[in-house]
């Protein structure tokens, strides 16, 4: 964290707008993301969180605005000016995308080991033994027993599938991970385990993360900064503690006061 | 002595949009200085704004007016204004300059008590073994039974959680510590341990600003008492 001050941002987002016909998906979104920083995007359903995430991760071209990413060579590139080959390479090496539904991010027809190994082969690894060793290592890091490596993810529980999806994303040592409601749809004890694991991995690997969630407790636990969205606009942004402890906008005050206390 | 912290004309109010935009003034024109090696205690009744002042300094609350100047770096050579600090700056201040000791532990699922305590020291760059040893040492001093160390504190009693949190607050090497009623509801033996910990921090040059309701503890550790009721808006 201390060297965070000297770094250049990893991602620069300027004036991103996405319109669906006349309807606003998201509008005039501006922010920068630094290495090692976890940014939570919160807001209710339909607030534009997922539209923004899809624009940022090159899955949905914005109507206007610019997104620049600092490549490993230190040069900022406009994401929507990359060639298709460059974009694909970026997505399978330097980036990860954790979907809410693990089935969207995994290949259910192949084994757990192959799901992890596939990303390694995509970056040029060919030695079967090494790929298998790395895959085993990653399964253990996400707390999946090594003897499940040849099992099909269809035989895994929801929580295990989600952890497998995370291992698949992290195996190439990405610098930026996008997460779309990663704990949604899991029961609470499984959520707690996943959150603790994510928190640890993010800190150990120094990952930058953009996480979309409607769960403010998840944002509190994982994120450094929060962006609050409503009707496609960013209405409040700041340090996570500050936005949650001293919310300024009426809508943010409503969100924070609606949390159930346990 | 280095001036570690100074508040200049600091003011804070809350606007409650859910109550028809009601504005609640909290404090105004706060003037305050804390030097290294001293412990300044905020006095005044509940609701006077003591906690709000600490939370503004730690960045949990926004500061609406004035300046909160903190000296960072080895000898306090760099002075930053927390009231205007961007989130990244505030996070780096929290990792290397300002610590917050409160009575409420925010429990993290599955993390053991000793790891909860060791974590901030590891974040400051200590190796894991040193940090865990120091954590155990503090937990021993604060009378947390060692059969609990490897368990997550979620199921601990209120007093045990509080002591885990105190250990977490004192393990670090921050030059500035904020103490938010660390001794509330502790028994006499544990209060005495906290007094010792504060004395040790003073001796090593740490500047402290605290809220302490225990009169005996306050008498023993406070070098100065600043009455917060002086910072109320003139009615």
């Amino acid at each position: 964290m201390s060297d965070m001050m000297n770094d250049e941002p990893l991602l620069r987002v300027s004036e991103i707008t996405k319109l669906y016909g006349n309807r606003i998906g998201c509008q005039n979104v501006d922010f920068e993301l630094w290495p090692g920083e976890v940014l939570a995007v919160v807001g209710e359903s339909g607030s534009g969180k997922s539209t923004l995430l899809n624009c940022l991760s090159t899955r949905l071209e914005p109507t206007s605005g610019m997104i620049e990413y600092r490549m490993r060579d230190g040069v900022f590139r406009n994401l929507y000016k990359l060639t298709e080959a460059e974009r694909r390479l970026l997505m399978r090496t330097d980036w990860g995308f954790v979907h809410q539904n693990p089935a969207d991010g995994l290949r259910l027809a192949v084994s757990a080991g192959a799901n992890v190994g596939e990303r390694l082969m995509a970056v040029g690894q060919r030695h079967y033994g090494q790929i298998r060793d790395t895959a085993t290592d990653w399964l253990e890091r996400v707390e999946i027993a090594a003897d499940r490596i040849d099992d099909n993810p269809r035989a895994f529980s929801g929580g295990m599938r989600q952890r497998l999806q995370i291992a698949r994303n992290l195996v190439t040592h990405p610098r930026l991970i996008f997460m779309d409601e990663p704990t949604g749809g899991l029961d609470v004890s499984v959520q707690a385990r996943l959150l603790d694991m994510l928190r640890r991995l993010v800190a150990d690997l120094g990952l930058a993360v953009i996480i979309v969630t409607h769960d403010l407790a998840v944002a509190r636990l994982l994120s450094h900064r929060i962006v609050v969205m409503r009707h496609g606009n960013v209405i409040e942004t700041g340090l996570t503690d500050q936005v949650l402890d001293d919310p300024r906008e009426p809508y943010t005050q409503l969100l924070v006061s609606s949390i159930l206390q346990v | 002595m280095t001036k570690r912290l100074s508040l200049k004309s600091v003011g804070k109010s809350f606007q409650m949009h859910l109550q028809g935009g009601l504005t609640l003034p909290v404090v105004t024109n706060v003037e305050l200085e804390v030097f290294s090696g001293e412990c300044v205690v905020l006095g005044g009744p509940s609701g006077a704004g003591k906690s709000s002042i600490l939370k503004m300094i730690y960045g949990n609350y926004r500061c609406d007016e004035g300046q909160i100047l903190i000296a960072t770096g080895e000898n306090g050579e760099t002075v930053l204004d927390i009231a205007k600090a961007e989130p990244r700056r505030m996070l780096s201040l929290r990792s290397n300059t300002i610590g917050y000791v409160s009575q409420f532990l925010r429990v993290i699922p599955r993390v053991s008590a000793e790891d909860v305590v060791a974590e901030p020291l590891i974040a400051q760059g200590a190796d894991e073994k040193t940090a865990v040893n120091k954590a155990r040492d503090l937990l021993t001093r604060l009378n947390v039974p060692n059969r609990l160390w490897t368990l997550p504190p979620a199921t601990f009693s209120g007093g045990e959680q509080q002591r885990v949190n105190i250990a977490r607050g004192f393990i670090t090497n921050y030059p500035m510590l904020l103490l938010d009623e660390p001794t509330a509801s502790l028994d006499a033996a544990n209060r005495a341990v906290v007094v010792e910990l504060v004395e040790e921090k003073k001796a090593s040059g740490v500047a402290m600003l605290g809220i302490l309701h225990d009169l005996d503890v306050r008498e023993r550790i406070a070098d100065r008492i600043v009455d917060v009721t002086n910072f109320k808006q003139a009615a």
Side-chain angles (χ1 to χ4, degrees), chain A:
Chain A
M1 189 66 66
S2 51
D3 57 332
M4 256 170 77
M5 291 316 296
N6 309 321
D7 266 314
E8 277 192 289
L10 197 58
L11 192 72
R12 286 203 293 240
V13 180
S14 350
E15 300 282 304
I16 286 297
T17 297
K18 172 68 192 176
L19 301 174
Y20 299 103
N22 289 326
R23 285 191 308 111
I24 294 165
C26 64
Q27 196 169 31
N28 292 329
V29 178
D30 271 304
F31 69 87
E32 288 178 325
L33 184 78
W34 275 265
E37 192 176 35
V38 180
L39 178 80
V41 181
V42 305
E44 62 198 358
S45 306
S47 59
K49 310 186 295 278
S50 298
T51 296
L52 177 63
L53 193 73
N54 287 334
C55 286
L56 297 175
S57 56
T58 72
R59 299 150 59 86
L60 180 69
E61 187 162 6
T63 312
S64 62
M66 184 160 71
I67 306 166
E68 294 168 293
Y69 179 72
R70 182 158 56 84
M71 308 295 269
R72 289 200 187 231
D73 61 7
V75 179
F76 279 95
R77 298 284 305 275
N78 181 333
L79 288 179
Y80 285 91
K81 296 268 166 66
L82 295 177
T83 64
E84 185 57 19
E86 287 173 319
R87 190 183 75 88
R88 293 179 73 94
L89 183 67
L90 190 68
M91 288 195 76
R92 63 185 184 214
T93 56
D94 222 19
W95 286 8
F97 196 108
V98 176
H99 298 264
Q100 175 172 5
N101 180 356
D104 295 337
L106 292 173
R107 293 216 294 138
L108 296 183
V110 301
S111 70
N115 265 287
V116 178
E118 191 179 45
R119 287 257 299 189
L120 287 173
M121 284 163 66
V123 295
Q125 290 203 30
R126 288 293 176 264
H127 189 286
Y128 176 80
Q130 276 170 12
I131 291 175
R132 194 173 168 90
D133 287 349
T134 312
T136 309
D137 180 46
W138 269 97
L139 290 181
E140 281 170 355
R141 288 179 78 167
V142 298
E143 302 170 15
I144 295 173
D147 65 4
R148 304 296 301 269
I149 190 168
D150 294 318
D151 290 357
N152 194 292
R154 283 205 184 93
F156 286 5
S157 68
M160 278 172 80
R161 286 186 192 183
Q162 196 54 297
R163 283 180 273 133
L164 178 62
Q165 190 190 183
I166 288 163
R168 174 179 162 96
N169 272 285
L170 295 183
V171 69
T172 56
H173 297 283
R175 294 191 298 163
L176 174 60
I177 303 278
F178 299 97
M179 297 185 188
D180 190 1
E181 304 276 10
T183 58
L186 300 175
D187 69 49
V188 282
S189 63
V190 176
Q191 261 193 35
R193 180 176 187 181
L194 189 74
L195 283 172
D196 171 46
M197 210 190 70
L198 278 176
R199 203 181 66 92
R200 216 170 286 193
L201 287 171
V202 164
D204 289 351
L205 304 171
L207 289 173
V209 178
I210 298 179
I211 177 169
V212 161
T213 178
H214 66 273
D215 187 337
L216 296 183
V218 169
R220 168 88 83 177
L221 192 65
L222 289 180
S223 72
H224 302 118
R225 264 197 309 149
I226 281 190
V227 164
V228 183
M229 293 192 72
R230 190 185 194 204
H231 300 329
N233 290 287
V234 172
I235 57 163
E236 185 160 358
T237 167
L239 205 60
T240 297
D241 292 345
Q242 203 171 70
V243 172
L244 297 181
D245 292 346
D246 184 11
R248 177 162 290 181
E249 293 297 316
Y251 177 69
T252 317
Q253 292 187 356
L254 180 68
L255 268 188
V256 171
S257 67
S258 312
I259 304 175
L260 290 173
Q261 302 274 334
V262 180

Side-chain angles (χ1 to χ4, degrees), chain B:
Chain B
M1 279 205 305
T2 322
K3 190 196 291 178
R4 193 47 80 179
L5 178 76
S6 64
L7 276 64
K8 295 185 171 158
S9 314
V10 166
K12 170 79 191 161
S13 57
F14 289 107
Q15 201 181 4
M16 320 291 274
H17 291 285
L18 303 182
Q19 270 109 51
L22 179 76
T23 300
L24 290 178
V26 183
V27 287
T28 179
N29 277 318
V30 181
E31 300 282 337
L32 186 67
E33 288 183 338
V34 186
F35 290 83
S36 62
E38 72 167 345
C39 179
V40 175
V41 171
L42 297 173
S46 277
K50 303 184 295 292
S51 279
S52 294
I53 292 175
L54 289 196
K55 285 179 176 163
M56 278 191 277
I57 297 167
Y58 201 60
N60 283 43
Y61 286 176
R62 294 178 172 91
C63 172
D64 303 331
E65 293 163 26
Q67 289 181 304
I68 299 175
L69 302 175
I70 178 94
T72 82
E74 197 74 354
N75 304 302
E77 59 277 5
T78 314
V79 175
L80 298 171
D81 183 2
I82 289 172
K84 294 193 178 61
E86 52 180 313
R88 273 171 4 101
R89 180 71 71 186
M90 197 66 237
L91 289 169
S92 101
L93 282 173
R94 286 182 186 178
S95 77
N96 58 31
T97 307
I98 312 176
Y100 194 100
V101 186
S102 83
Q103 47 180 326
F104 302 110
L105 179 67
R106 194 178 293 285
V107 179
I108 302 160
R110 293 207 311 160
V111 182
S112 72
E114 62 184 26
D115 288 342
V116 167
V117 176
E119 189 183 67
L121 194 58
I122 294 170
Q124 285 192 324
D127 71 88
E128 205 170 319
K129 207 168 166 193
T130 316
V132 171
N133 282 336
K134 197 168 170 193
R136 289 177 182 164
D137 180 45
L138 280 166
L139 289 170
T140 308
R141 286 181 69 181
L142 286 158
N143 306 301
V144 177
N146 75 15
R147 62 192 154 77
L148 296 180
W149 295 353
T150 53
L151 301 175
T155 54
F156 291 9
S157 75
E160 284 159 355
Q161 288 193 8
Q162 187 186 358
R163 281 176 276 143
V164 168
N165 210 35
I166 290 168
R168 179 180 160 93
F170 279 102
I171 197 171
T172 50
N173 303 306
Y174 298 113
M176 172 93 228
L177 273 185
L178 303 171
L179 311 174
D180 191 351
E181 300 196 48
T183 56
S185 74
L186 286 186
D187 60 25
N190 284 309
R191 277 205 303 273
V193 176
V194 173
V195 171
E196 267 173 43
L197 290 171
V198 170
E199 293 298 342
E200 287 165 24
K201 288 288 178 196
K202 268 194 210 178
S204 63
V206 174
M208 281 168 285
L209 178 64
I211 303 171
L212 290 160
H213 286 299
D214 280 307
L215 287 178
D216 60 323
V217 174
R218 177 149 75 175
E219 217 153 88
R220 287 170 68 185
I221 66 175
D223 296 296
R224 283 187 293 132
I225 293 177
V226 174
D227 188 353
V228 172
T229 49
N230 295 333
F231 308 131
K232 274 286 162 203
Q233 208 146 27

